[in-house]
Amino acid sequence: MAFVTRQFVRSVSSSSTASASAKKIIVKHVTVIGGGLMGAGIAQVAAATGHTVVLVDQSEDILAKSKKGIEESLRKVSKKKFAENPKAGDEFMQKTLSSISTSMDAASVVHSTDLVVEAIVENLKVKNELFKRLDKFAAEHTIFASNTSSLQITDIANATTRQDQFAGLHFFNPVPLMKLVEVIKTPMTSQKTFESLIDFSKTLGKHPVSCKDTPGFIVNRLLIPYLLDAIKLYERGDASKEDIDTAMKLGAGYPMGPFELLDYVGLDTTKFIMDGWHEMDAMNPVFQPSPTLNELVAEKKLGKKTGEGFYKYK
C-alpha cells in the first residue's frame, strides 16, 4: 500500500511538473554502508571526486581501520598522481579525507543523502532488514543501490517502497584502481534512477556498463563458470593447475591464470556465489558445485588471505 501511495504522489507531481520529474538526480552526498574493503574503496573514490561521504559500520574499531586503510590508499594514489608536486598531493589527501565522516547509525544520516550504497555481508535477510529500515528514514529522492555480486537486486529492492529508485551498483576490487562499474537495472528501476547512477559512475572516473538483473550480472556470470571449468579440468586430471594457469596467461593473454585468480578472489567467495546460483537453479549443469573447492573451503584454505588455497603463500 505504501508503495502505491508513493507512486500516486509521484504521478500527481509528475503530471504538474513533467520536466522537473524527468530531471536526473545529481549525486552530491553519498552514504556508504559497510566499512570493509569494498565499502572503504567506494567511500574513497567518491570523496576523491568531490562528493561528501558518510561511511557507516557497526563499530568504531571497524571504522577506524577503514579510515586508516583509506589514508594509506590515498597516500599511494597521491604519490603517483602528484609525483612532481608533493604539496598538491598533500592537499588532495587532506581534502579527500575531510570529505569523509563516519557513523554507526545509518538511519540518522540517510535523511539528507542523495545515494545510499550498501556493501555489507552477502546475506539477503540482512540486506533486506537494512534497506527496510533505511527506507523509513531516507529522503524521498534518495536512490538506493547494492554492491552485491551474487544476489538478485530485485529480491533486495522488494524490501523497500522505492523499487523504482533501487538498482545495483557493482564495483570491483580494488575500487580505487578498477575502472569498471556494473549498473544493474531491475524491471522496476526507473530510467531516471538508472541514468543518475550512470552519471554518478562517470563522475567517479569509472566506466559504467549496464546489465539486467541476471545472476552474476556480466563479469561474474562469465567468470565464475570459467573458474569452475578450470577446477573440473584439474579434477579430471587432464592438466595440472600450473599448466592451466600458464596456458591461459600465455595463450589467452589473461594477466592471471584461473587458479591464481581463485586464490586472489578467495575460494569462499567463489563457493558462496556458486552455491547461491545452484540453489536458484539446481538442474543447470553450469551451476554444479565442485568437490575440490568445497574441500578446500572446509579446510579453511581460502587463498592468499589465509596463506593457502590452490597454492601456498609465504
Side-chain angles (χ1 to χ4, degrees):
M1 184 65 182
F3 178 64
V4 174
T5 303
R6 183 189 292 273
Q7 292 294 78
F8 175 73
V9 169
R10 286 184 185 143
S11 296
V12 172
S13 175
S14 63
S15 64
S16 59
T17 56
S19 60
S21 69
K23 185 181 285 188
K24 291 178 284 187
I25 299 295
I26 299 174
V27 176
K28 296 181 179 178
H29 303 279
V30 183
T31 299
V32 180
I33 314 292
L37 278 176
M38 294 303 294
I42 295 166
Q44 176 184 324
V45 296
T49 50
H51 300 85
T52 302
V53 180
V54 181
L55 182 61
V56 180
D57 213 304
Q58 295 177 320
S59 77
E60 289 286 3
D61 288 344
I62 293 174
L63 290 169
K65 185 178 179 181
S66 300
K67 289 281 288 212
K68 183 180 179 182
I70 291 171
E71 188 171 348
E72 290 173 353
S73 177
L74 278 171
R75 188 171 288 111
K76 293 177 184 177
V77 171
S78 61
K79 189 175 181 180
K80 184 177 180 180
K81 187 175 181 180
F82 301 96
E84 298 180 4
N85 191 347
K87 184 179 179 181
D90 290 340
E91 291 173 355
F92 167 75
M93 267 194 67
Q94 293 307 314
K95 183 178 180 181
T96 301
L97 289 171
S98 67
S99 296
I100 304 174
S101 59
T102 59
S103 175
M104 291 188 294
D105 184 6
S108 69
V109 297
V110 297
H111 61 86
S112 59
T113 197
D114 300 314
L115 171 65
V116 174
V117 182
E118 166 270 313
I120 62 173
V121 63
E122 289 285 74
N123 182 297
L124 180 61
K125 183 179 179 182
V126 175
K127 291 181 190 290
N128 280 348
E129 289 174 352
L130 170 70
F131 278 115
K132 184 176 182 180
R133 181 164 179 260
L134 297 185
D135 194 33
K136 299 174 183 176
F137 295 94
E140 187 169 343
H141 79 278
T142 302
I143 295 172
F144 284 177
S146 175
N147 182 59
T148 183
S149 60
S150 61
L151 300 173
Q152 297 284 121
I153 300 298
T154 303
D155 290 342
I156 306 173
N158 284 341
T160 76
T161 62
R162 62 182 78 205
Q163 290 99 325
D164 58 327
Q165 291 172 210
F166 205 117
L169 205 57
H170 184 218
F171 292 82
F172 291 81
N173 187 38
V175 179
L177 299 180
M178 299 294 279
K179 290 293 185 183
L180 185 67
V181 177
E182 292 176 322
V183 182
I184 313 306
K185 186 178 183 182
T186 77
M188 294 153 322
T189 305
S190 71
Q191 189 65 20
K192 173 181 172 181
T193 296
F194 172 72
E195 291 179 4
S196 297
L197 291 176
I198 290 288
D199 288 352
F200 170 68
S201 300
K202 290 178 180 178
T203 66
L204 300 183
K206 303 301 183 186
H207 189 120
V209 294
S210 63
C211 183
K212 292 182 179 179
D213 191 16
T214 186
F217 315 138
I218 298 173
V219 174
N220 281 338
R221 183 60 182 82
L222 296 175
L223 180 62
I224 300 299
Y226 155 70
L227 296 176
L228 267 292
D229 276 344
I231 297 175
K232 291 171 186 174
L233 196 69
Y234 170 65
E235 286 174 337
R236 292 195 300 266
D238 293 338
S240 69
K241 56 183 182 288
E242 292 84 2
D243 281 351
I244 293 171
D245 277 350
T246 299
M248 294 310 296
K249 286 188 289 185
L250 300 184
Y254 288 10
M256 301 174 75
F259 293 97
E260 292 171 326
L261 185 56
L262 279 158
D263 279 355
Y264 178 80
V265 170
L267 305 189
D268 54 333
T269 301
T270 303
K271 173 176 159 51
F272 181 86
I273 294 171
M274 184 53 68
D275 286 350
W277 293 355
H278 180 67
E279 188 177 327
M280 282 190 289
D281 188 3
M283 301 305 293
N284 192 325
V286 177
F287 299 161
Q288 298 310 303
S290 160
T292 302
L293 183 63
N294 289 346
E295 183 179 335
L296 287 170
V297 172
E299 294 173 354
K300 305 298 181 185
K301 298 175 181 177
L302 308 180
K304 292 193 75 172
K305 60 186 174 184
T306 59
E308 184 176 356
F310 280 100
Y311 296 111
K312 291 184 179 180
Y313 304 87
K314 293 180 181 180

